[in-house]
Amino acid sequence: MTISSPFAAHYGGWQAMIATRVISGFAQGTVLPCLHTLLSKWVPPEERGRLATFVYSGGWIGNVICLLSSGYLAASAVGWPSCFYVWGSITILCGISFYLLGKDSPSEHSRIPLDEKEYIEISLGVTEINENEKPATPWMSILRSIPVWALLVTQCAQAWGFWMLLTEIPSYMASIMRFDIKKNGLVTALPYFTAWLVSFPISYVSDLCIRRHIMTTQTSRKVCNTIGQWIPAVALIGLGYARQDQPELAVGILITAVSCNIAACCGHNVNHMDLSPNFAGTLMGFTNTTATVCSILAPLIAGVIITDSTNIVQWRYVFFLSAGIYTLGNLVFILFGTSRVQKWNDPIRSNRESVTRKISTIGTIQEQKDIDKIP
């Protein structure tokens, strides 16, 4: 769909172009749930922060390369369509590589060392469902779970803030800070490259604190999420007050906002696996679907507020709104989020325990009746 977008725009107008993006979006909606499912089967609990951040930071470094190259590609002889041709082709190659090399779980990997395979499987423990007795998704229990709703709220806030930064900041840098398209690409890519670099020490320290019992898993998740959402909230407000003759300050604030935002990968982004290793992909699909609506609304609402892209006051309104959403989303996660595995993670075991309790209760009642019959 990406490769065909320029052809759609040329022969079918804006309607066909939008159709290719909609279809592409539907297809890409499967990616995050699949990644979360794979991570829940491959990653030991004490390594979730590092490995999940390593995987998802791939998207951030992708942003860097795309932002750096798109300005030059658009200015080339082929023009803006070259952006779609290049990135569409790379994506197809990546998809083929993943199909050929990826495995569902350690047990299906023929070349993984036995000790590593045993380490992963043992560390995941009893939360793993037997392949022969997969239960139906406990939707009612999920929808009644307060920690799930707290996760949903903070993920919506993250989606809003992230896509506001990604889609609107290039326009801000061009309209307010007067960067040309090539320089704009360099400036807007730098924060994401910095975030990618910062992701390694942040995720390492997060897991180290959990492993050495400096923090509980729950505290670590909330601290990382606070760094990932509240610091960018403050930075966004500051960005709105950077003057045109202070481009270095604006870039520094932008780098702070984006690089700190990567800490959320060790926060709410791995919380799906904390709550339910068995349904981590399902949870990600549920929360990400709703969060995607926020990512769609963010640039739309920004477009309604910003009627004059050279008006700094209108940009401040957008930045204040995004900062407020970031703050509220993380506050909900702090108050109601948890890292404890939920009972509905293993419905089969939960049902067995319930039946056992009932049988035990019935047995106790019968024994009491028998005793009462004794003269």
Side-chain angles (χ1 to χ4, degrees), residues 17 60 82 122 143 152 165 176 200 213 241 254 268 277 294 373:
M17 176 69 171
W60 293 65
S82 62
I122 291 172
L143 294 175
L152 175 66
L165 286 168
I176 303 298
F200 297 104
H213 306 290
Y241 289 91
L254 183 59
H268 77 274
C294 293
K373 291 179 181 179

Side-chain angles (χ1 to χ4, degrees), residues 338-350:
T338 183
S339 64
R340 291 190 297 271
V341 176
Q342 302 298 290
K343 291 182 178 179
W344 43 264
N345 173 65
D346 194 348
I348 293 176
R349 181 180 178 185
S350 180

